[in-house]
Amino acid sequence: MPALVVLGAQWGDEGKGKATDQLGTSADYVVKFNGGNNAGHTVVVGGEKFPLHLLPSGILSEGCTPVIGNGVVVDLPVLFQEIEELESRGRSAAGLKISANAHVITPYTRTLDTLSERTLGERKIGTTGRGIGPTYADKISRIGIRIQDLFDESILHQKVASALEQKNRLLISYGEEPFDADDVTAELLSYAERVRPMMCDVTLEINNALDEGKIVLFEGGQATMLDIDHGTYPYVTSSNPTAGGACTGTGVGPTRIDRVIGVAKAYITRVGEGPFPTELFGDEGEWLREAGHEYGVTTGRPRRCGWYDAPIARYASRVNGLTDLVITKLDVLGDLEKIPVCVAYEIEGKRVEEVPASQTDFHHAKPIYEYREGWQSDISQCRTWEELPEAARAYIEYLEEISNCRISVIGVGPEREQSIVRHPLV
Ligand code: GDP
Ligand code: IMO
Ligand code: MG
């Protein structure tokens, strides 16, 4: 009864969408467990590009039921827009299930995200501006709105009004327009009938599916280094994209998880603010950004680019208990004569092997590089391990050794088929 978690091992955009889509062809369920439409996944099937944000990446696989777990925050207009776009391209979102306990992004949490960034000034996080942080903050403060609240107008109105009691004072004090509880309630209610058939007891559904021997994929948004607890706080998102989040975000116990698959690029990128030891500036950074087409799917922002960071890979392996690594975008490094790999950091004159516990130290970490031979050829048509040039295999074996995790799949292009499987994941 395989329950597999797929998650980001770096700072996001590792190619989780592609990995999930690929595994989705063998899965019965794909369950999103955290985040919301801050995520942006580009999935390419048969030459067609599908940008996904809120919908689970398994949505493109026939016979795979897509599920949004309780750990996700749902922006209802975005959800239905994404469904309509998919349907206009001949794909179906029928069968989509949403946890009754998932929280809803509201017009005021969206505004508060922008306001918070503005008031932070230079210390801003560089959020996606989708209302993610304030919606999770309301969840933790116990003033959030859940999917199940959409079906009782008077309860919904009470909840919105009491949340707005606090929010409007804040908004007015910053010169923003306050929200009207009647309007917000009416807007949320306008989605209720479309949501009703999707609402589901996800914990029951998924545990039953596992009992029946079904294959369930838990899909993480964001990544380990953006985790609210284990990432580069405060430059993080507001959920748990790490492996434990798959359990709390769906209601499945840790003893049921069989495999935890981390996805990492053969280099590394980051969007938004925060420390980034191997970040490249100038021509080198520009070259990598162009070679890898490193522009965000959600906000279109250029991604910050850098070399593979092995202490981060080891950290991700440890924090998530990774059983497998998927290394994506190996094809992007095809032109390089030498490939730098960060093996440790120098912090205040001392060599440090692991991601430091202190955030200040991490801000001061300078990469110590080792250089590997490049293969200087196009590997995008390779489909087996043997077909890869020797130097590319040596690079992967080296990453495996220094990342503390076996590398099971290698990506050599954005298409579903552009992958090399060394160890089957399902
Ligand atoms: P996610 O958020 O982790 O799903 O990743 P994104 O979709 O935001 O970014 C990954 C990008 O790399 C997408 O445009 C993918 O189509 C693309 N991609 C994924 N795997 C590979 C690969 O192995 N090689 C290349 N060249 N592109 C890839
Ligand atoms: P996927 O799933 C990369 C980053 C934002 C910002 C920080 C907080 O595509 O890998 P938020 O809006 O979540 O409050 O922003 O997190 N961020 C991502 N970076 N990929 C993502 O998702 C991200 N989701 C959020 O840029 O730095
Ligand atoms: Mg992405």
Side-chain angles (χ1 to χ4, degrees):
M1 36 149 223
L4 299 93
V5 179
V6 176
L7 53 80
Q10 297 170 328
W11 271 296
D13 304 322
E14 297 92 345
K16 300 176 292 292
K18 178 192 160 186
T20 307
D21 166 66
Q22 239 177 347
L23 290 166
T25 57
S26 318
D28 298 297
Y29 288 83
V30 173
V31 193
K32 243 178 123 87
F33 63 80
N34 76 299
N37 57 317
N38 48 348
H41 312 298
T42 302
V43 178
V44 188
V45 185
E48 252 194 288
K49 258 190 197 177
F50 294 91
L52 299 171
H53 297 282
L54 198 45
L55 293 174
S57 301
I59 198 117
L60 299 170
S61 298
E62 266 177 47
C64 175
T65 303
V67 182
I68 292 179
N70 58 277
V72 173
V73 287
V74 181
D75 191 316
L76 293 163
V78 170
L79 177 73
F80 289 106
Q81 193 188 343
E82 217 172 313
I83 291 175
E84 278 159 27
E85 275 169 23
L86 212 60
E87 287 177 346
S88 73
R89 296 175 66 181
R91 301 279 173 161
S92 168
L96 176 69
K97 296 179 189 296
I98 304 183
S99 165
N101 289 352
H103 280 247
V104 174
I105 295 177
T106 62
Y108 50 88
T109 47
R110 250 180 257 127
T111 300
L112 286 165
D113 193 358
T114 321
L115 177 66
S116 165
E117 287 287 88
R118 205 176 80 211
T119 56
L120 281 170
E122 276 187 3
R123 294 193 62 250
K124 73 176 195 300
I125 311 299
T127 73
T128 59
R130 301 297 192 262
I132 304 296
T135 306
Y136 279 113
D138 280 5
K139 171 178 174 172
I140 300 302
S141 302
R142 297 161 296 190
I143 55 166
I145 309 294
R146 298 193 293 176
I147 289 285
Q148 58 186 283
D149 298 327
L150 301 178
F151 305 101
D152 186 327
E153 184 171 350
S154 90
I155 296 263
L156 179 64
H157 190 277
Q158 275 174 34
K159 289 190 175 183
V160 168
S162 66
L164 282 177
E165 180 65 29
Q166 306 174 5
K167 313 288 179 195
N168 278 343
R169 282 171 206 265
L170 185 74
L171 289 168
I172 291 165
S173 75
Y174 279 101
E176 298 279 341
E177 281 292 310
F179 284 85
D180 181 73
D182 294 349
D183 292 348
V184 173
T185 307
E187 188 189 324
L188 295 174
L189 278 176
S190 72
Y191 296 101
E193 288 318 307
R194 279 192 280 172
V195 172
R196 194 186 290 277
M198 300 173 180
M199 191 172 73
C200 154
D201 182 342
V202 168
T203 171
L204 187 63
E205 177 93 17
I206 299 304
N207 278 284
N208 282 347
L210 289 171
D211 289 344
E212 289 164 20
K214 299 264 168 65
I215 298 176
V216 180
L217 211 61
F218 298 89
E219 178 187 10
Q222 294 75 53
T224 305
M225 298 307 278
L226 290 173
D227 185 282
I228 187 78
D229 287 284
H230 302 290
T232 47
Y233 191 91
Y235 302 101
V236 292
T237 191
S238 301
S239 67
N240 285 119
T242 44
C247 297
T248 50
T250 62
V252 169
T255 50
R256 304 216 71 165
I257 305 291
D258 299 291
R259 248 168 150 165
V260 184
I261 302 157
V263 185
K265 285 177 193 174
Y267 49 98
I268 192 166
T269 63
R270 162 161 221 177
V271 193
E273 309 300 320
F276 183 174
T278 67
E279 181 167 16
L280 297 168
F281 301 93
D283 290 348
E284 243 185 333
E286 197 52 41
W287 175 83
L288 194 49
R289 184 172 308 115
E290 291 310 315
H293 307 291
E294 296 297 353
Y295 293 88
V297 192
T298 301
T299 56
R301 287 181 287 181
R303 294 175 182 151
R304 300 159 64 191
C305 299
W307 300 122
Y308 191 84
D309 186 318
I312 286 182
R314 287 196 291 274
Y315 182 71
S317 177
R318 167 159 48 97
V319 169
N320 296 297
L322 294 185
T323 56
D324 303 84
L325 253 183
V326 173
I327 294 288
T328 63
K329 296 199 146 185
L330 189 65
D331 52 302
V332 172
L333 305 182
D335 285 343
L336 297 168
E337 209 173 310
K338 294 270 179 209
I339 307 174
V341 177
C342 168
V343 292
Y345 307 122
E346 188 196 306
I347 302 172
E348 300 194 346
K350 289 202 186 90
R351 184 181 167 109
V352 175
E353 300 294 330
E354 304 299 334
V355 169
S358 144
Q359 187 69 14
T360 305
D361 284 349
F362 197 58
H363 276 269
H364 295 149
K366 293 192 183 68
I368 297 174
Y369 288 119
E370 288 209 0
Y371 296 82
R372 313 305 293 180
E373 289 299 320
W375 43 96
Q376 296 184 279
S377 61
D378 177 3
I379 57 167
S380 62
Q381 302 308 317
C382 298
R383 295 292 177 272
T384 63
W385 177 246
E386 291 71 28
E387 279 168 26
L388 280 177
E390 201 181 327
R393 287 194 306 240
Y395 181 68
I396 290 292
E397 280 168 348
Y398 180 67
L399 294 192
E400 188 168 68
E401 190 187 310
I402 57 176
S403 303
N404 264 353
C405 187
R406 75 171 185 177
I407 295 175
S408 298
V409 178
I410 300 147
V412 292
E415 280 278 353
R416 220 183 235 176
E417 296 72 36
Q418 288 182 297
S419 294
I420 294 170
V421 179
R422 289 174 83 200
H423 308 289
L425 296 173
V426 271

